[in-house]
Amino acid sequence: MSMAAVETKKITLRTADNHEFEVEEAIAMEFSTIKTFFDENPDASEDTIPLPNVTSKCLSAIIEYCKSHLAFRARETSSSIDEQVRTYDEEFVKARDNESLKELILAANYLNIKALLDMLNQAVADRIKNKSVEYVRRFFGLENDYTPEEEAAIRAENEWAFEGVDPDDD
Amino acid sequence: MALFRSNKNIFSLTEDLLVRVREKLATESDRKSFRLVCREFHRIDLLTRKHLRVLRIEFLPSLLQKHPQLQSLDLSACPRIDDRVVSFLLTRVGPGSNSPGWANWTRGLKCLVLSRTTGLRFTGLEMLARACPCLKSVDVSYCCGFGDREAAALSCAVGLRELKMDKCLHLSDVGLAKIAVGCLKLEKLSLKWCMDITDLGVDLLCKKCLDLKYLDVSYLKVTNESLHSIASLLKLEVLGLVACPLIDDAGLQFIGHGCPLLRVIDVSRCEGVSSSGLISVVRGHSNLLELNAGYCLSELSTTLLHWIKNLKHLEMIRIDGARISESSFPVISTNCKSLIEIGLSKCVGLTNMGIMRLVSGCINLRVLNLTCCHSITDAAISAIADSCRNLVCLKLESCHMITEKGLCQLGSSCLLLEEIDLTDCCGVNDKGLEYLSRCSQLLCLKLGLCTNISGKGLSYIGSNCTKIHELDLYRCSGIGDDGLEALSRGCKKLAKLNLSYCKEVSDRGLGYIGHLEELSDLEMRGLFKITGVGLEAVAAGCKRLADLDLKHCDKVDDSGYWALAYYSRNLRQINLSYCGISDIALCMVMGNLTRLQEAKLVHLGNVTVEGFELALRACCIRIKKVKLLAPLRLLLSSEILETLHARGCIIRWD
């Protein structure tokens, strides 16, 4: 990993809407998809990598995220650092609307950034927590495709048939 | 694993992403909402759902068919499980009913909970053991009719790691031997109350199952010889010896020299154990995490204290009932800094000063039990509140001198408090509850016999303690309908409520209770003002009601019981003793409520012998426990008694 202040290697990424981003190698290596690509093609480092599934808005947010997390990791681990990481993650997610959250998930999945993907999935779960079925449908942009009989059967199951108890609970 | 499907909409997530989101849903109500969203989400729920606790037998075949990835299945709450049902589920449930051999749902099954499935026998058990190749954990506790044949059936599950056979009353050394020889990889075994087990059985177990980490032989009549055998278990970490009458200090010496990995030991209520036995154990195991010596020590001697000093990792210690001198506490608090739980219930000689010295060092304390420590006053509570900011559970039953001053301190400092027991603390009043309500994380509050509280105090709890799920108001004579109104508005998560002998409660109050949608356990003995109207309000509103105790509510008329029979589909347990229910209403209740499994039916003045006969026939295939007056034994038909016995139903004759 190059840590030299002056000659840091940069990788060029081109998004779906034809914007080019120059990112430091360290950050690009956080994207496992890109890392794998370079591991297999070590001579391709000068080329521009096309990312047809990622918009520029998403990519810039993701780059910010990876940059900040790299910086956090460079410092010593302590509970105050953990606290700062938590706050950063919360802020990262808070301002985004449901659509951009889903866009980010798809991008993070495509680029294969495990930690970010995990954090975003949790954020989605938190947003649909304690909400009505209708709300969840609107969130995911889905229609109710059950027939009335099917829906009644599922409701009956939910009400009477079972509990999903984790066996570790007493 | 993931199929990248063509998205209709760029923002719709792929299946494996949805699976990950679904896995992050923590509560059952969220998971149930998830599966209602659309067919795709239902399919994802079926893929990710690993644990099922089935409540009704009618749904069992379809649920098993839909969940081929099941890892754990709990049938303890499901009525009518017997060998025939098991046979059907194993042969007919699978992709298409012409699938040969065993059904799919058994393929990945690791954990099977069959506790209280009294209708099951060894044939069914053997079928299950052979059908589930990955079976690691089985719980058949409280199947009181189980014995050696059932143990032999279970020993067919050769990969078994965990087995609970508490209260399998007919299990003897023969059955235990079959398990020991068949399940060599056993790591966890619980045999509480299996009274026919002797030293011979335990010895063979310890020779064969060398991987045992957890062993519970509480209440058994095993002697020091068993402890000699157990001491050879090199991997044992947890040992349960509660109320074993025949073991004593000599036996504990063996343990002291053996079981090098021992972390947790429970010798509470062992009459033969004294300080010297405990000293042997403590001396040999300086890494001990938990020591439970409640009600066996008469005194915490200085020698024992000297050795306890060395337990640097000790997290839990219980010395209920022992005499302790004040000088002991500084020793504990300076040396055992890892202590999280301390049990000093009924300890003689416990003073304020002692408590203050104890908590000054044990700042990580989360659980403190001071039940019946009568000399404790507000000064001790202040000290506790000051030092132990992480306190989660505090038990102060019968600490008569606690007043609102102490509760004020708790309300200011111990904001993580989740459970507090103030039963019989007559000094608790409405002001005290106002202070206590500042602990907004409260989950369980016990105020039994607190006669000085009224609806005003409850209203503070109602407004601030919104997470509360258990409330005990036993004999709180000052509580009336108004208090219940405040409760029903604020405490929407209330699941367990005891209003017994709160004599001022009337139908109006029960109307408010009807708004508590999560209520599952309601005890309301001796409410002389309530009638059928009140019971109907509860039945219609509290859909989750599973346990109901109406003893001595003699003014409730049949309209209430009809409502119960119609609405309370989740009812599992009922006490109707001394109630005025009629023949027909009893038959409706016992017949209609298909989840009802336990009933106490003594002193029903309006029910005739024919009434009992019909009611029992209506529920005989699923009832597991019933309490009846002794004279009925001779008056009921022999057929009904035989049928009940054949199904494994336990009848208690009063």
Side-chain angles (χ1 to χ4, degrees), chain B residues 66-84:
Chain B
K66 288 197 285 190
H67 292 91
Q69 330 266 61
L70 219 49
Q71 284 183 9
S72 102
L73 179 63
D74 183 336
L75 296 174
S76 59
C78 192
R80 294 167 45 199
I81 299 291
D82 57 20
D83 292 353
R84 227 172 18 94

Side-chain angles (χ1 to χ4, degrees), chain A residues 99 102-103 106 117-118 122 129-130 137 142 145-146 150 154 157-158 161-165 167, chain B residues 10-11 20 24 28 30-32 35-39 41-42 49 51 53 55 59 66 569:
Chain A
E99 294 308 314
K102 284 184 282 177
E103 239 189 281
L106 288 168
L117 186 59
D118 203 57
Q122 181 67 61
K129 196 156 65 166
N130 274 332
R137 283 183 190 138
L142 296 163
D145 57 356
Y146 285 125
E150 282 173 347
I154 309 243
E157 264 183 10
N158 278 359
F162 66 87
E163 287 163 7
V165 180
Chain B
I10 190 177
F11 298 132
R20 287 188 229 192
K24 296 216 181 276
E28 187 54 21
D30 288 333
R31 296 191 279 244
K32 284 187 171 168
R35 68 203 291 273
L36 257 178
V37 168
C38 64
R39 286 188 184 152
F41 275 39
H42 185 204
R49 201 171 274 277
H51 316 293
R53 183 163 194 258
L55 301 177
F59 292 96
K66 288 197 285 190
R569 298 299 172 139

Side-chain angles (χ1 to χ4, degrees), chain B residues 188-468:
Chain B
K188 187 168 166 174
L189 180 61
S190 189
L191 298 166
K192 292 195 282 206
W193 291 296
C194 297
M195 306 303 275
D196 288 345
I197 304 284
T198 73
D199 295 333
L200 280 168
V202 175
D203 187 53
L204 185 63
L205 178 71
C206 297
K207 290 202 162 73
K208 292 284 175 188
C209 297
L210 303 174
D211 288 338
L212 267 177
K213 288 188 187 164
Y214 176 115
L215 180 60
D216 196 344
V217 291
S218 299
Y219 308 98
L220 301 189
K221 293 202 171 69
V222 292
T223 72
N224 292 337
E225 282 307 308
S226 282
L227 292 184
H228 193 176
S229 313
I230 292 172
S232 66
L233 291 171
L234 296 176
K235 298 193 183 171
L236 198 67
E237 294 175 17
V238 178
L239 179 57
L241 296 165
V242 178
C244 290
L246 301 178
I247 64 164
D248 57 33
D249 294 339
L252 284 184
Q253 278 237 337
F254 292 127
I255 300 292
H257 294 300
C259 300
L261 296 182
L262 197 66
R263 294 273 178 277
V264 173
I265 185 164
D266 189 345
V267 289
S268 51
R269 296 178 204 276
C270 288
E271 292 167 347
V273 169
S274 74
S275 283
S276 79
L278 284 173
I279 290 171
S280 329
V281 174
V282 172
R283 199 159 51 188
H285 300 93
S286 56
N287 283 333
L288 212 57
L289 283 179
E290 294 183 17
L291 175 60
N292 190 341
Y295 305 109
C296 65
L297 282 181
S298 57
E299 181 170 9
L300 189 62
S301 68
T302 33
T303 343
L304 179 54
L305 204 56
H306 170 75
W307 285 104
I308 288 181
K309 246 177 33 191
N310 291 346
L311 300 176
K312 298 294 177 203
H313 303 285
L314 195 64
E315 288 181 1
M316 184 267 257
I317 183 167
R318 288 199 197 143
I319 35 180
D320 308 314
R323 168 177 293 284
I324 312 190
S325 70
E326 252 176 44
S327 51
S328 316
F329 292 113
V331 178
I332 299 177
S333 72
T334 28
N335 291 292
C336 304
K337 294 276 187 199
S338 310
L339 274 173
I340 295 176
E341 176 173 346
I342 302 182
L344 299 166
S345 163
K346 300 196 181 153
C347 280
V348 184
L350 199 58
T351 61
N352 278 344
M353 187 55 82
I355 293 294
M356 288 193 239
R357 291 202 174 133
L358 182 65
V359 298
S360 61
C362 298
I363 52 173
N364 292 320
L365 216 53
R366 301 182 73 209
V367 179
L368 182 57
N369 186 348
L370 298 171
T371 304
C372 291
C373 294
H374 304 291
S375 325
I376 299 298
T377 72
D378 292 329
I381 305 296
S382 262
I384 294 170
D386 223 19
S387 303
C388 308
R389 299 296 170 114
N390 292 332
L391 202 63
V392 165
C393 170
L394 182 59
K395 296 194 183 172
L396 298 167
E397 183 179 339
S398 293
C399 294
H400 305 294
M401 296 200 265
I402 309 288
T403 72
E404 67 268 19
K405 295 200 196 68
L407 294 179
C408 181
Q409 296 296 331
L410 283 176
S412 325
S413 307
C414 296
L415 298 173
L416 296 177
L417 201 63
E418 290 177 9
E419 185 181 334
I420 183 164
D421 186 346
L422 293 163
T423 307
D424 199 25
C425 290
C426 42
V428 174
N429 53 24
D430 290 339
K431 197 77 184 144
L433 287 185
E434 181 182 356
Y435 293 134
L436 189 62
S437 68
R438 290 181 199 158
C439 298
S440 57
Q441 304 298 313
L442 264 183
L443 296 176
C444 171
L445 176 58
K446 293 195 180 161
L447 295 167
L449 297 167
C450 291
T451 44
N452 286 326
I453 63 169
S454 77
K456 186 149 165 282
L458 269 195
S459 67
Y460 295 117
I461 302 291
S463 3
N464 290 331
C465 302
T466 51
K467 294 189 181 181
I468 210 164

